[in-house]
Amino acid sequence: MHTTNSSKHQTFYVVGLSYKKADAEIRGKFSLDESSKDKLLSQAAMEGVTGMIVASTCNRTEIYGFAEHPYQLIKLLVDNSQGSVDEFQRVAYVHKNAEAINHMFRVGTGLDSQILGDFEIISQLKTGFSHARKHNLTNAFLERLTNAVIQASKRIKNETEISSGATSVSFASVQYMMRNVSDIKNKNILLFGTGKIGRNTCENLVKHTKNEHITLINRTKDKAEKLASKLHLIVKDYSELHLELQKADILVVATGAQRPTIDKAVLNLKKPLLILDLSIPKNVSDDVQDLPEVTLIHMDHLSQITDDTLENRKKHIPAAELIIEEIRAEFTAWTHERKFAPTINALKEKLNEIKNSELDFQSRKIAGFNEHQAEIISNRIIQKITTHFANHLKDTNTPMDESIEWIEKVFKIETSVK
């Protein structure tokens, strides 16, 4: 594929890391909260980056953007996270041009998700584009690509069954409890953190376990109360966390903190405690495993749980890939045409200059010269000539850069956008 340049000498890259090679601890180091994303985008704008989208979830952190070299994007990530270049190089990936575009399609449509068919990432890409726009870091290429990925995501969700059934990290956590905890209906469950994963886990707990002993604690109490009123659950103040931990049989941690909120020091246990950490970065310190009463399960373990629902989803991957291929082909054709359009427009202007000069000369030389008819005929000839050139450049077998250079040299024209 030709280089999908936004400006001269720049290439479209994706740099990032995901659950495939980076464990929860490393993903936590490179995780970007809203403040970090904002700082990264501000730095990118100051450094002259022309287009960029940043996405950071519990499973991946990625930057899609234009650069002369991918290290420019890697440096932005390292500067604004807790990760190092060495750590990035051990677990990360860098894709460019066609590979980067293909990667964004697979991520946005749930084919590259930790749990197949999880479409949560598409909202992150939408939000990432909106944030980039506020920093003037969007362009026609990124807008068209984002919209194409959104379109593919919608079609796959509507036209296949790849997202059928309840399979997500939050549901997997409930599955784990139901399979590994006896008499789950009567256990005391404490949910600490009521963000998106916390809310989804709570809803799945109520739906599948019929448990009426679920207590919510959140640093911002009104958020917990809003969820509790909907599901008829108990809410406790954050100051009561120590007491509630002693009562709990199961602790689900889903806070958005950048550092551990639960460690060995806060646990004063009198009975066994199962802890499920659904957070990135990890919100439960590894030192809790020093306590014999504690069993700690992290989301990476939960995501490995497979059931009939997940196996059924795999059958729909080919159909999803066909939809991606169709929409990606349309996008590729657009980028192809967009690259040579300035040259064709400049060629048309050059031919019009030649036409106007010749018509002026002939109108003074030939008596009774019909300038109107000559104008019509000339315009049709110019249209046919430029169409021939455009069709030549549209051919995927055409060496586009060489052809554009040849046209510009022969007709002595210049274009500002490549």
Side-chain angles (χ1 to χ4, degrees), residues 90-110:
R90 285 201 299 270
V91 300
Y93 43 83
V94 175
H95 303 305
K96 70 176 183 178
N97 293 332
E99 288 182 357
I101 291 168
N102 184 54
H103 180 79
M104 187 168 174
F105 269 100
R106 293 188 70 83
V107 168
T109 55

Side-chain angles (χ1 to χ4, degrees), residues 79-149:
D79 285 352
N80 293 279
S81 70
Q82 303 301 312
S84 68
V85 172
D86 287 342
E87 288 170 323
F88 182 88
Q89 289 176 332
R90 285 201 299 270
V91 300
Y93 43 83
V94 175
H95 303 305
K96 70 176 183 178
N97 293 332
E99 288 182 357
I101 291 168
N102 184 54
H103 180 79
M104 187 168 174
F105 269 100
R106 293 188 70 83
V107 168
T109 55
L111 294 190
D112 200 64
S113 295
Q114 192 168 24
I115 293 182
L116 178 65
D118 185 348
F119 284 92
E120 291 296 327
I121 185 65
I122 195 65
S123 62
Q124 290 280 342
L125 292 176
K126 290 179 186 176
T127 302
F129 182 84
S130 296
H131 286 171
R133 176 176 275 164
K134 291 176 183 176
H135 289 265
N136 295 315
L137 285 171
T138 57
N139 52 42
F141 176 92
L142 280 177
E143 183 168 13
R144 185 86 175 214
L145 176 57
T146 303
N147 287 334
V149 173

Side-chain angles (χ1 to χ4, degrees), residues 93-305:
Y93 43 83
V94 175
H95 303 305
K96 70 176 183 178
N97 293 332
E99 288 182 357
I101 291 168
N102 184 54
H103 180 79
M104 187 168 174
F105 269 100
R106 293 188 70 83
V107 168
T109 55
L111 294 190
D112 200 64
S113 295
Q114 192 168 24
I115 293 182
L116 178 65
D118 185 348
F119 284 92
E120 291 296 327
I121 185 65
I122 195 65
S123 62
Q124 290 280 342
L125 292 176
K126 290 179 186 176
T127 302
F129 182 84
S130 296
H131 286 171
R133 176 176 275 164
K134 291 176 183 176
H135 289 265
N136 295 315
L137 285 171
T138 57
N139 52 42
F141 176 92
L142 280 177
E143 183 168 13
R144 185 86 175 214
L145 176 57
T146 303
N147 287 334
V149 173
I150 291 170
Q151 181 188 358
S153 176
K154 286 180 179 176
R155 280 193 54 189
I156 289 171
K157 199 168 186 178
N158 294 332
E159 297 175 25
T160 76
E161 295 180 29
I162 205 164
S163 61
S164 63
T167 304
S168 63
V169 170
S170 57
F171 181 69
S173 66
V174 176
Q175 274 189 308
Y176 180 88
M177 291 182 231
M178 293 174 70
R179 291 174 180 176
N180 294 277
V181 179
S182 59
D183 195 25
I184 183 70
K185 182 179 178 181
N186 294 308
K187 297 298 183 182
N188 292 323
I189 301 175
L190 174 60
L191 179 72
F192 181 31
T194 54
K196 191 161 192 176
I197 289 180
R199 291 196 305 272
N200 290 343
T201 302
C202 221
E203 289 171 356
N204 279 314
L205 276 170
V206 172
K207 179 179 178 181
H208 296 287
T209 69
K210 311 300 181 186
N211 189 301
E212 297 180 357
H213 310 280
I214 302 172
T215 301
L216 308 183
I217 292 181
N218 196 62
R219 289 181 185 272
T220 309
K221 190 176 181 181
D222 60 344
K223 290 183 179 178
E225 288 175 335
K226 187 175 180 180
L227 178 62
S229 63
K230 176 183 173 185
L231 300 174
H232 308 293
L233 304 176
I234 303 165
V235 176
K236 295 289 184 177
D237 286 320
Y238 176 65
S239 61
E240 298 180 73
L241 178 61
H242 288 72
L243 294 173
E244 294 303 320
L245 286 170
Q246 294 178 38
K247 300 176 187 176
D249 298 300
I250 302 170
L251 169 63
V252 179
V253 183
T255 68
Q258 291 297 299
R259 292 179 175 80
T261 53
I262 300 292
D263 58 23
K264 184 169 68 172
V266 304
L267 298 177
N268 182 21
L269 304 178
K270 296 180 175 62
K271 60 180 178 177
L273 177 65
L274 169 63
I275 303 177
L276 281 72
D277 186 359
L278 308 185
S279 312
I280 293 289
K282 288 182 178 180
N283 281 185
V284 179
S285 173
D286 287 337
D287 70 5
V288 302
Q289 296 179 93
D290 295 341
L291 301 173
E293 304 94 337
V294 170
T295 301
L296 175 61
I297 302 295
H298 193 264
M299 66 185 305
D300 279 1
H301 175 81
L302 295 171
S303 66
Q304 295 167 10
I305 297 173

Side-chain angles (χ1 to χ4, degrees), residues 324-378:
I324 290 175
E325 182 56 37
E326 178 186 335
I327 296 175
R328 189 178 57 206
E330 293 173 0
F331 175 77
T332 302
W334 175 82
T335 60
H336 201 75
E337 186 170 338
R338 178 173 176 260
K339 186 174 184 183
F340 68 71
T343 300
I344 294 298
N345 290 333
L347 173 61
K348 188 175 287 188
E349 288 180 15
K350 185 70 173 183
L351 293 175
N352 274 312
E353 285 178 19
I354 296 171
K355 175 201 73 174
N356 292 334
S357 175
E358 187 63 22
L359 290 183
D360 180 61
F361 173 77
Q362 296 297 342
S363 66
R364 285 185 277 107
K365 183 178 179 181
I366 301 174
F369 180 72
N370 191 325
E371 190 168 350
H372 176 67
Q373 286 186 343
E375 179 86 23
I376 293 173
I377 294 169
S378 300

